[in-house]
Amino acid sequence: MSNNNNSEKGMGFIIGASSVGTLIEWYDFYIFGMLATIISKQFFPEDSGTSALLSTLAIFAAGFIVRPFGALVFGRLGDLIGRKYTFLLTLILMGGSTFAIGLVPGFKTIGWAAPIIVLVLRLIQGLALGGEYGGAATYVAEHAPAKRRGYWTSWIQTTATLGLFLALGIILFIRKSQGVEKFSGEWGGWRYPFWISLLLVIVSIIIRMRMKESPMFAKVKAEGKTSVNPLKESFGHRANFKMVLLALFGAVMGQGVVWYTGQFYAQTFIENICKVNFVDSRNILMIAILFATPFFVVFGALSDKVGRKWIMLIGMLLAVFSYRFVYQTFIDYTNVAAKRTMIDVSKTTKSDAVASIDAKDKKKALINVRYDSVYTDGAVYTFTKTDTLHFARDYTGNTATIAYIIVKKDSTAGLDTVIVKAKTAAGVILPEGITYITAEKKSAKPGVVIEKSLDSNTFWKMVGWVFILILFVTMVYGPMAAFLVELFPTKIRYTSMSLPYHIGNGVFGGLVPFLGTLIVEFTKTKELPGGDPLAGLWYPIGIAALCFVIGAIYLRNHIDEDVMD
Amino acid sequence: MLLSPAIVGFLFWQAAEKIGKASEATKANVTLQWSIILIIFFPICIGLLIFGYYAFKDAYDHLPESSAEITDY
């Protein structure tokens, strides 16, 4: 068979050409998620309830939900006209839409057209990604020799994680070289990762143009045996449809949640729940990815020897039993109260409280105080508190000296009270020339931002635990492409494997950060205002556990020698 | 097979409870969030129901050895 005749060098080119394009598509898809906060500020109106609604739709749902539709559209094309041209098309669509997102003016310039255009482009991104992966995995698998199919396709499996790595790296690099202010501006550096995509895509298109059609598909086509209606044959016939359902509920569903919980949710959790700063939280994930990525290939190759099923299912089971422990460890490592090292008083600072009048509402003043607690091991915990005062009348100036006492409850600086320049109304003593106004009341809920820079020891321990989470990802995801390819026949393979893959990953997996955060919100009560930070893990744990049970009962640990039929 | 209607019932119950408890300010947002969840997971639960039905009918007792067994058309 032609797939057995490919030399190592030939396979290297096939893998390289397929992987680079797929990696770039993942990169394109993830930069949107990584820059979600800036994007929502740039493309949606400030202080608008509607903006929150549209942001939710655009950022959490749209890109992920349309992936299965992309799988149907491009999967069908791939089974009708061929793998090569279809995933060339998806690459062009993805690159074009990503580049275009970087060109859309902000809400301040073109109003509501901005979020609508971005939403449409995001939908195109999701559709393109839905068509890409199935094509690349199918293409590589159909070239690979049977006994090394797991090994060769596992290279494709590294691309999703490496795409995430690339996205993180480029964003961090630009942010660091430009500074936060410049990076976040309307035409700031956050747009560069979108523009860079164009270059990457052009290179990838040139490489892919040199590729030949899959030998199996070419043979099927030459014999006139291509599917007339891949959608009907994939999902309209019980014998194949039952395998689509088995792939989804017995393998991909669990893999999707493990993938996103081990990477995206871990980073979100470390940043938002553990309050580790922007750079550290991303560096932890990047380093862990770097060390864990080779294991995709290790487990892919191992699956050629021991079968795909149990490697994937053991990965799921380990995830189910360890998630709560690992995430609790993240909390413990970053818990200030449990810290045993001493605060370095000589370096610990408290900024002068700054009061500024709200530009939009002159009856409001914002009081801002920042504490930096430096520990002897190098950790820095920053506590910023912004309180809002309300006046009976408009205030005309830009800054004010206001009677106000900040009582610091959550800070780690060891200082409990700070008085902002002036005294209370009862005993006012003010320098001459300073305007003094009395605040009628203050907002019940001050804005508190806590940011932690980790000490070196804690940082590396966090990297170690994230590495273990990603190791589970490599177990469930490394053999997945070979597993899916072997489940379906050549003529409807692209369509049949793409749909369960993108429902499992795009829907079950992609919604992990969203649903995890939502579940934590549900646990918030008056007694427990912060909610149960680990509650969000019940979603991936439940899905992975269900998938493990279904997979253990119904999947077969079988390596298909001949996927040519 | 029984799990699917149970999940659907649970989701609808949770949606009704959370939307009912939401304040006026957050009602629209909560309704949208739950609408998205229900729209996404309802068809998936139907798929799970069909999967359960196939499993109940022992359709997975024998998995195909070759593609010829899959293409029953």
Side-chain angles (χ1 to χ4, degrees):
Chain A
M1 280 189 305
S2 56
N3 60 325
N4 284 334
N5 293 335
N6 287 307
S7 63
E8 290 277 319
K9 195 180 168 189
M11 275 308 295
F13 173 74
I14 290 162
I15 291 291
S18 307
S19 300
V20 168
T22 313
L23 187 149
I24 290 164
E25 289 221 25
W26 286 115
Y27 161 82
D28 287 351
F29 195 72
Y30 288 137
I31 49 174
F32 194 99
M34 291 280 141
L35 294 167
T37 315
I38 293 174
I39 287 171
S40 60
K41 280 180 189 164
Q42 291 299 332
F43 294 123
F44 295 93
E46 289 174 28
D47 301 330
S48 155
T50 320
S51 108
L53 296 181
L54 282 175
S55 296
T56 309
L57 263 178
I59 294 164
F60 290 115
F64 290 105
I65 293 167
V66 295
R67 275 170 61 177
F69 296 101
L72 292 177
V73 172
F74 294 106
R76 179 178 176 274
L77 271 182
D79 284 329
L80 287 174
I81 65 168
R83 284 66 163 121
K84 177 185 166 179
Y85 292 105
T86 305
F87 68 30
L88 258 175
L89 182 63
T90 61
L91 190 61
I92 292 166
L93 278 176
M94 178 61 103
S97 55
T98 304
F99 181 67
I101 289 174
L103 295 176
V104 179
F107 185 86
K108 285 177 192 164
T109 311
I110 58 169
W112 283 104
I116 292 168
I117 294 170
V118 169
L119 188 63
V120 170
L121 293 169
R122 177 67 174 162
L123 291 174
I124 297 172
Q125 275 195 321
L127 284 172
L129 188 66
E132 165 66 25
Y133 171 82
T138 303
Y139 185 84
V140 172
E142 290 180 353
H143 279 86
K147 291 191 190 310
R148 303 198 75 195
R149 194 176 296 124
Y151 168 73
W152 286 115
T153 53
S154 66
W155 288 93
I156 285 287
Q157 302 303 88
T158 64
T159 57
T161 296
L162 287 177
L164 180 61
F165 177 85
L166 190 66
L168 284 166
I170 288 180
I171 289 166
L172 277 178
F173 176 76
I174 297 171
R175 189 176 184 268
K176 195 174 180 187
S177 46
Q178 280 208 327
V180 179
E181 288 281 313
K182 211 174 167 189
F183 181 81
S184 311
E186 185 177 356
W187 291 95
W190 66 270
R191 291 180 183 266
Y192 297 177
F194 291 94
W195 296 340
I196 289 168
S197 166
L198 189 70
L199 286 175
L200 298 173
V201 167
I202 289 171
V203 172
S204 184
I205 288 172
I206 292 168
I207 296 170
R208 281 195 171 178
M209 291 288 278
R210 293 171 56 204
M211 293 162 74
K212 291 176 183 166
E213 184 52 85
S214 147
M216 289 187 197
F217 183 80
K219 182 173 179 286
V220 169
K221 196 172 184 181
E223 291 169 355
K225 291 181 181 171
T226 48
S227 173
V228 179
N229 189 343
L231 292 178
K232 190 181 173 192
E233 290 181 25
S234 293
F235 312 116
H237 293 88
R238 176 181 161 143
N240 196 66
F241 186 54
K242 77 171 187 184
M243 300 308 285
V244 171
L245 292 175
L246 180 61
L248 174 62
F249 295 118
V252 190
M253 171 174 83
Q255 173 259 303
V257 294
V258 171
W259 201 99
Y260 280 87
T261 310
Q263 297 177 105
F264 252 110
Y265 191 63
Q267 187 247 309
T268 308
F269 188 91
I270 290 169
E271 187 178 11
N272 296 333
I273 305 279
C274 301
K275 306 292 181 192
V276 174
N277 69 48
F278 182 94
V279 176
D280 275 1
S281 62
R282 279 152 184 83
N283 278 339
I284 287 169
L285 183 62
M286 278 179 68
I287 296 168
I289 285 175
L290 205 61
F291 285 113
T293 298
F295 288 91
F296 284 107
V297 182
V298 170
F299 288 115
L302 185 64
S303 76
D304 286 330
K305 295 184 168 53
V306 301
R308 330 281 183 209
K309 173 181 170 177
W310 288 111
I311 297 176
M312 296 191 298
L313 293 184
I314 289 169
M316 268 178 228
L317 197 63
L318 288 171
V320 166
F321 284 113
S322 62
Y323 273 166
R324 284 184 67 85
F325 171 77
V326 174
Y327 278 80
Q328 181 61 52
T329 307
F330 290 150
I331 293 174
D332 294 342
Y333 281 159
T334 52
N335 182 3
V336 179
K339 220 166 161 43
R340 289 182 185 172
T341 47
M342 302 292 289
I343 289 179
D344 185 344
V345 180
S346 67
K347 291 178 184 169
T348 294
T349 57
K350 174 184 71 65
S351 71
D352 286 334
V354 176
S356 59
I357 300 298
D358 189 332
K360 288 181 181 170
D361 183 354
K362 295 283 185 184
K363 285 181 180 170
K364 277 187 193 170
L366 306 173
I367 306 283
N368 207 298
V369 190
R370 172 179 164 147
Y371 306 88
D372 289 300
S373 307
V374 181
Y375 287 77
T376 49
D377 61 9
V380 181
Y381 290 171
T382 303
F383 176 94
T384 309
K385 183 173 179 178
T386 307
D387 213 342
T388 311
L389 302 186
H390 301 264
F391 311 125
R393 58 179 172 82
D394 280 4
Y395 187 76
T396 50
N398 292 321
T399 59
T401 301
I402 296 159
Y404 174 62
I405 296 173
I406 293 175
V407 179
K408 184 175 62 64
K409 288 179 180 171
D410 303 310
S411 170
T412 56
L415 303 166
D416 291 320
T417 307
V418 59
I419 300 170
V420 182
K421 288 186 180 176
K423 301 286 173 65
T424 58
V428 180
I429 306 169
L430 286 170
E432 281 182 37
I434 292 179
T435 314
Y436 169 62
I437 55 174
T438 308
E440 300 295 312
K441 58 170 184 168
K442 66 174 184 170
S443 288
K445 228 179 168 182
V448 172
V449 178
I450 299 170
E451 253 194 8
K452 301 171 187 173
S453 298
L454 301 174
D455 61 278
S456 171
N457 187 29
T458 308
F459 178 88
W460 285 104
K461 282 197 280 191
M462 299 275 276
V463 169
W465 283 110
V466 176
F467 167 81
I468 289 170
L469 293 181
I470 303 177
L471 204 63
F472 302 153
V473 176
T474 63
M475 290 179 78
V476 294
Y477 197 54
M480 184 57 75
F483 165 79
L484 289 173
V485 165
E486 290 166 355
L487 221 51
F488 302 105
T490 305
K491 66 179 190 171
I492 53 170
R493 183 170 291 140
Y494 203 149
T495 311
S496 297
M497 71 174 276
S498 292
L499 186 71
Y501 175 83
H502 286 290
I503 293 177
N505 279 272
V507 178
F508 282 102
L511 291 178
V512 166
F514 173 60
L515 290 178
T517 309
L518 202 62
I519 294 169
V520 173
E521 286 293 316
F522 293 159
T523 62
K524 288 181 179 175
T525 58
K526 278 182 184 170
E527 294 75 33
L528 197 66
D532 174 5
L534 300 180
L537 291 169
W538 287 120
Y539 167 66
I541 287 173
I543 297 290
L546 176 64
C547 189
F548 173 82
V549 172
I550 293 173
I553 295 171
Y554 296 110
L555 288 184
R556 191 180 50 202
N557 196 30
H558 169 72
I559 298 172
D560 192 358
E561 291 288 325
D562 183 14
V563 291
M564 186 67 184
D565 50 357
Chain B
M1 203 158 72
L2 295 174
L3 189 63
S4 176
I7 293 171
V8 171
F10 175 75
L11 287 176
F12 273 101
W13 172 56
Q14 281 292 308
E17 192 188 345
K18 301 298 177 196
I19 294 169
K21 278 185 181 173
S23 63
E24 281 304 312
T26 58
K27 200 154 209 149
N29 218 346
V30 174
T31 307
L32 182 82
Q33 286 166 351
W34 277 99
S35 303
I36 292 171
I37 292 169
L38 291 174
I39 289 167
I40 293 169
F41 284 102
F42 189 68
I44 290 173
C45 285
I46 292 174
L48 186 61
L49 184 73
I50 298 169
F51 174 80
Y53 173 76
Y54 285 159
F56 183 69
K57 291 283 179 186
D58 300 330
Y60 295 106
D61 281 0
H62 170 75
L63 294 183
E65 297 287 336
S66 76
S67 298
E69 292 183 59
I70 293 178
T71 47
D72 61 349
Y73 33 86

